[in-house]
Amino acid sequence: MRLGSFLTMGCSDRLSLLLLAVALSSTLNVRAKETSALVLVEANVEDGPEANDATVTTEMEQQEEEYNPEVFHPTSEWQSLKPGQAVPAGLHIRLNLQTGEREAKLLDEADGRNHGENKDDRKQRDKKGSLDVEAGSYTATELKEALKKFKYSDPDAAAAKAHADEVKKKFRSMDEIKKDFDEMHVKAESDSQIMRKLLATFSQPDAPVTERSAALFDLEYYVHQVDNARDLATLGGLQKLVNALNSSEPEIRKNAAFVLGSAMSGNPPVQVEAVDGGLLQKLVTALATEQQLPVTKKALYALAAALRHFPYAQQRFLSLGGLSALGRIFDGEGTRSLRFKVLTLIGDMLNEKSQLESTSGDETERERHAERLEQYRRMALAPALASLGWCDMAAPLLSDGDASPDHDSREKALAAVLALMPACRDAFLEPERSHALARRLALLRDEYRRLARQEAAEGDADGYFDGMLNDVEKLAAELDPATTVASSD
């Protein structure tokens, strides 16, 4: 409308037109507030092909950036950024994965940064989750979008993957190995399944003796484990082995005793079941009548496993005449090593009582110890040994091996004689025997004093020979001092 026409209007017409203009202006202002107006802002970039480009932002984004008016002052060191803090252009920006905070610092010239990268390169970098800090400005929304795209890249990941691929080429996977086993009809078996098969082989009366004996030999390997030995009892294997001690084949008798001894060693439940199955009767018979020395050795091994720390079995052994059967070993030819094994077993049985008396524990343990001690007292092992002549059999063993000293045998003999001393003191103090025993102890004392001094000179003050010397002196002190021959030292 021209100004002249406006002026020629009447007063009422002009007033209506002005009211209409005011209403239209109010409506436009309200709609402008409801929408975010676009503002064209010139980018502040000094270098690069986008120096003359403009950044389009909204008034809402400008408000976000102006939310925290505090200005970030960059340095050459990394500093944490506050939420919404304004950041100048041309800085290093990173996300600290340990703290979860954004950090920034001044751009270093030695950083190797490419200021001349083109737009396509920047877009490619953005796809990997990098943030374009070269741009003139960025908002919190841009940071969030960059964080969503961010992917951690391990610099050693490529090398690790290459190494894994190389290993895969050299070795086969478990799936491939299982497939080959399936094709060969090979399946992994449990120990129980293997023992069941070995027992089946051993139980075949028509199978060759070598095959049955080999099955027993393999079975002995498995029963060293406590659980396997108990599984053997559950499978009925113990009773089959006990019955095999009457076999007409020496090899079967020997290996059956071997398996029984290994199964009972340190395994009280197996000890109980074997003894209840008649094992002791079979072993006493074997020790009294066996003509094959290898079978006797394994029978003694099984007997020791059955009797140790088991006073109930020891009592039954005595009632079956077991001490007399053991004494037969001292009469045989070529049984010198077995004699020391027998003395070791006797000494252990005698020492179990004193060791049990010296132990203490809670009320439950004391009650159990009291019951076992009562079993040892009822057994009366020491008087039985003295009455059956074991004092006469033990003392001469101290003089064995003069031509070729055997320290291990001497140690066992000394321990056995010391254990027998309470029951055999009167026998040891007889004039003829006490003189010979005292003379022998004096020679042993001189020998072990010399060896103990050599040990001490080599830096082992409490060595093996010092312990042997202590046993010799302890035994000498148990004898009547009047009969002890003075040392030649």
Side-chain angles (χ1 to χ4, degrees):
M1 179 180 292
R2 294 181 181 180
L3 180 60
S5 300
F6 179 79
L7 293 175
T8 58
M9 288 182 180
C11 292
S12 59
D13 294 336
R14 281 183 290 177
L15 180 60
S16 299
L17 184 60
L18 287 174
L19 291 174
L20 178 61
V22 171
L24 289 174
S25 176
S26 300
T27 303
L28 290 175
N29 288 336
V30 171
R31 290 184 179 179
K33 291 180 180 180
E34 291 177 352
T35 59
S36 296
L38 295 178
V39 180
L40 190 63
V41 181
E42 183 178 358
N44 185 20
V45 180
E46 297 179 359
D47 300 323
E50 298 177 326
N52 296 324
D53 292 346
T55 301
V56 178
T57 63
T58 65
E59 289 183 354
M60 184 178 295
E61 290 174 339
Q62 288 180 343
Q63 291 174 3
E64 289 179 355
E65 294 180 1
E66 294 173 359
Y67 175 75
N68 188 349
E70 182 180 350
V71 179
F72 178 75
H73 299 284
T75 65
S76 59
E77 302 295 332
W78 290 106
Q79 301 182 66
S80 298
L81 295 174
K82 299 179 180 178
Q85 188 175 25
V87 181
L91 299 181
H92 272 311
I93 302 293
R94 74 177 185 185
L95 179 65
N96 191 320
L97 296 179
Q98 294 181 351
T99 63
E101 297 179 348
R102 293 182 298 133
E103 298 176 347
K105 73 170 186 176
L106 291 173
L107 185 66
D108 298 330
E109 294 182 359
D111 181 62
R113 205 165 181 79
N114 184 7
H115 293 276
E117 65 179 353
N118 56 36
K119 194 171 184 178
D120 293 337
D121 293 336
R122 185 170 293 119
K123 289 181 178 179
Q124 187 65 26
R125 188 182 68 237
D126 289 342
K127 291 180 180 179
K128 298 179 180 179
S130 301
L131 182 64
D132 184 10
V133 297
E134 299 282 342
S137 65
Y138 57 89
T139 67
T141 303
E142 291 175 332
L143 286 173
K144 293 178 181 178
E145 292 299 325
L147 184 59
K148 291 179 181 178
K149 299 176 183 178
F150 182 80
K151 295 181 180 179
Y152 174 72
S153 59
D154 186 355
D156 298 329
K161 185 178 184 302
H163 176 69
D165 293 340
E166 187 66 23
V167 171
K168 289 180 179 179
K169 293 178 182 179
K170 294 181 179 180
F171 300 97
R172 304 168 65 194
S173 67
M174 285 300 299
D175 292 336
E176 293 174 339
I177 295 174
K178 289 179 180 179
K179 183 179 178 181
D180 290 347
F181 278 155
D182 291 338
E183 292 176 354
M184 293 185 295
H185 303 288
V186 176
K187 295 183 179 179
E189 295 179 315
S190 65
D191 289 354
S192 181
Q193 291 172 325
I194 294 174
M195 291 192 300
R196 191 186 298 273
K197 289 185 176 181
L198 292 173
L199 281 173
T201 301
F202 156 69
S203 301
Q204 294 178 1
D206 298 334
V209 174
T210 55
E211 186 175 336
R212 297 176 64 203
S213 178
L216 288 174
F217 188 81
D218 292 341
L219 186 61
E220 191 273 339
Y221 168 80
Y222 289 95
V223 298
H224 280 282
Q225 296 185 22
V226 172
D227 292 338
N228 287 344
R230 295 178 182 178
D231 288 342
L232 177 67
T234 303
L235 295 172
L238 283 180
Q239 194 59 55
K240 292 181 180 180
L241 293 170
V242 170
N243 296 336
L245 294 176
N246 287 335
S247 173
S248 59
E249 297 294 339
E251 194 69 16
I252 298 297
R253 297 197 302 271
K254 181 187 74 173
N255 284 342
F258 190 27
V259 177
L260 285 166
S262 298
M264 291 185 294
S265 295
N267 204 332
V270 179
Q271 282 180 293
V272 172
E273 183 153 348
V275 170
D276 289 342
L279 172 65
L280 294 179
Q281 293 90 327
K282 297 289 195 304
L283 290 177
V284 169
T285 301
L287 292 172
T289 61
E290 184 60 58
Q291 302 297 320
Q292 301 289 332
L293 187 60
V295 179
T296 303
K297 289 181 179 180
K298 295 303 181 186
L300 183 59
Y301 169 68
L303 178 66
L307 297 183
R308 281 196 169 93
H309 303 289
F310 195 2
Y312 169 75
Q314 294 175 18
Q315 178 63 47
R316 292 193 61 178
F317 176 70
L318 294 180
S319 63
L320 292 170
L323 288 179
S324 298
L326 281 178
R328 175 182 170 274
I329 293 177
F330 286 79
D331 299 330
E333 295 290 337
T335 59
R336 178 177 179 273
S337 62
L338 286 182
R339 296 173 189 172
F340 289 103
K341 291 182 182 297
V342 170
L343 276 183
T344 301
L345 173 60
I346 296 298
D348 290 344
M349 292 167 63
L350 288 169
N351 288 327
E352 285 176 12
K353 178 182 175 182
S354 59
Q355 291 173 356
L356 191 61
E357 289 173 337
S358 62
T359 58
S360 61
D362 57 23
E363 184 176 353
T364 303
E365 291 179 346
R366 285 195 294 270
E367 291 178 358
R368 185 169 60 252
H369 289 174
E371 181 180 353
R372 295 187 66 191
L373 279 173
E374 183 59 29
Q375 292 177 347
Y376 280 117
R377 294 190 184 100
R378 289 198 302 265
M379 183 172 51
L381 177 59
L385 290 168
S387 64
L388 293 174
W390 279 83
C391 301
D392 297 333
M393 290 186 286
L397 291 179
L398 285 174
S399 60
D400 281 358
D402 286 339
S404 178
D406 182 353
H407 300 297
D408 182 64
S409 298
R410 290 178 181 176
E411 181 183 17
K412 292 176 180 177
L414 283 168
V417 172
L418 279 171
L420 285 167
M421 180 59 70
C424 298
R425 186 182 303 276
D426 294 339
F428 290 161
L429 290 179
E430 291 180 358
E432 183 177 352
R433 178 170 294 158
S434 64
H435 183 75
L437 185 58
R439 182 173 63 250
R440 179 59 183 163
L441 289 175
L443 293 174
L444 291 175
R445 182 172 52 195
D446 292 343
E447 178 180 355
Y448 287 116
R449 277 180 177 173
R450 183 178 68 256
L451 293 174
R453 282 196 294 265
Q454 292 178 1
E455 275 185 332
E458 295 173 358
D460 191 359
D462 298 321
Y464 175 77
F465 295 118
D466 185 67
M468 292 287 289
L469 177 61
N470 289 335
D471 287 345
V472 171
E473 292 179 340
K474 188 184 298 183
L475 183 56
E478 291 285 344
L479 297 174
D480 188 352
T483 63
T484 303
V485 177
S487 171
S488 60
D489 189 14

